[in-house]
Amino acid sequence: MAEQSNSSGGGNTGLAFIVGAVVVVLAIVAYFVFARGGMGGETKEVNVDVSLPEVSAPAVPGGN
């Protein structure tokens, strides 16, 4: 006869608990980072001006 093993996976219960705790901690950190505007809580207004000087092409010699 074949031998049957009755294992309920009790060793994985602790690992599942640890993984669940890590997920909860990451969710809390993500809330504070994204919902509150970063770790400092202050938002800064950044004004970027991208103005390039106007450059004209040189005249074509020969004028055909």
Side-chain angles (χ1 to χ4, degrees):
M1 259 195 200
E3 217 176 289
Q4 292 183 353
S5 174
N6 188 9
S7 64
S8 62
N12 290 332
T13 305
L15 180 63
F17 180 75
I18 292 171
V19 170
V22 168
V23 169
V24 169
V25 168
L26 287 177
I28 292 171
V29 169
Y31 170 75
F32 280 106
V33 170
F34 294 117
R36 296 182 158 243
M39 289 292 201
E42 243 172 76
T43 58
K44 296 179 182 177
E45 185 177 333
V46 178
N47 187 7
V48 178
D49 183 20
V50 182
S51 300
L52 299 175
E54 193 171 322
V55 178
S56 60
V60 178
N64 284 337

